[in-house]
Amino acid sequence: MLRRDRQIRMQIHQLMDACLFALSFWLAFRLRSDLHVVEFFGLVPIQVSFRDFAWILVILIPAAPLILEAQGFYERSLFCLRRTTAWQLFKGCLITSVGLILVLFLSRMMIARMVPVWFGATSFALVFLKEEVHRLIVRSKLAQAQIIRRFILVGTGEETRRMKHDLRTKSPEGLEI
């Protein structure tokens, strides 16, 4: 039961992260093509449309959660250190940005060089912000009452001590015996 709930939660987070990565690619492209940003940084305006690069989302949406999963991003506990979360997310965003650069280079698509860089930064910021909001929600008292799994152990003293030890080692958080 606990494993299935955790797997469903992980799939929901993967779907949200895939959407956030797609949003961050669109946002990076939009920022790079905005005239105010171009004037502020003294860049050359780009003349291409986002529709020319929309096919990248077909690759990016399934690849981003897989890369994060390979970094162990979804195997963290709910209350791990922010440093651990940031490091795993940074590695995942860096690998995704380098992969985006390689895909653009191999497909011979000409895009502004700052788009993949801004994509990495915005994807990191959006996913980290999602994780912080999730952390705040999970730490609330209402969520704590929903997350905690309650078990009643019935048996001899020896059996209940052994089962309690086994349950604590397999799932130390979110468990009340």
Side-chain angles (χ1 to χ4, degrees):
M1 183 73 174
L2 289 175
R3 183 171 290 172
R4 186 178 60 185
D5 289 346
R6 189 173 190 174
Q7 189 174 24
I8 290 171
R9 238 183 275 126
M10 183 179 77
Q11 289 173 347
I12 291 170
H13 281 283
Q14 286 176 335
L15 180 63
M16 286 192 303
D17 292 343
C19 292
L20 287 175
F21 270 85
L23 176 68
S24 65
F25 180 70
W26 175 81
L27 188 61
F29 190 87
R30 188 79 182 118
L31 281 173
R32 179 55 180 90
S33 62
D34 188 47
L35 293 177
H36 298 309
V37 175
V38 169
E39 288 176 8
F40 181 75
F41 287 111
L43 304 170
V44 177
I46 56 176
Q47 303 298 326
V48 293
S49 165
F50 183 74
R51 291 181 187 178
D52 299 335
F53 297 99
W55 63 271
I56 293 174
L57 294 177
V58 174
I59 298 169
L60 188 65
I61 289 173
L66 291 175
I67 291 170
L68 288 177
E69 188 172 359
Q71 299 304 313
F73 188 72
Y74 299 113
E75 297 299 320
R76 298 171 294 117
S77 68
L78 288 175
F79 304 113
C80 75
L81 296 173
R82 285 184 176 98
R83 179 179 55 213
T84 304
T85 302
W87 178 244
Q88 289 174 340
L89 183 59
F90 175 77
K91 289 189 301 185
C93 290
L94 182 67
I95 292 170
T96 307
S97 295
V98 170
L100 177 65
I101 291 168
L102 287 173
V103 166
L104 290 170
F105 176 74
L106 293 174
S107 65
R108 298 181 187 261
M109 297 292 289
M110 298 303 288
I111 194 170
R113 290 177 292 211
M114 287 304 290
V115 171
V117 174
W118 285 351
F119 161 71
T122 56
S123 62
F124 178 84
L126 288 176
V127 175
F128 194 76
L129 181 65
K130 181 209 55 129
E131 289 296 320
E132 285 299 310
V133 169
H134 181 254
R135 182 186 292 254
L136 285 173
I137 291 170
V138 166
R139 288 193 186 259
S140 71
K141 289 185 180 189
L142 179 63
Q144 287 294 321
Q146 296 292 323
I147 290 174
I148 293 176
R149 301 286 183 216
R150 292 171 180 85
F151 288 96
I152 298 175
L153 299 178
V154 178
T156 65
E158 176 69 27
E159 289 175 336
T160 55
R161 276 193 298 277
R162 185 179 52 80
M163 284 299 294
K164 186 185 262 187
H165 181 280
D166 289 345
L167 286 172
R168 293 267 185 225
T169 57
K170 290 181 183 175
S171 181
E173 57 192 36
L175 190 65
E176 183 180 319
I177 300 173

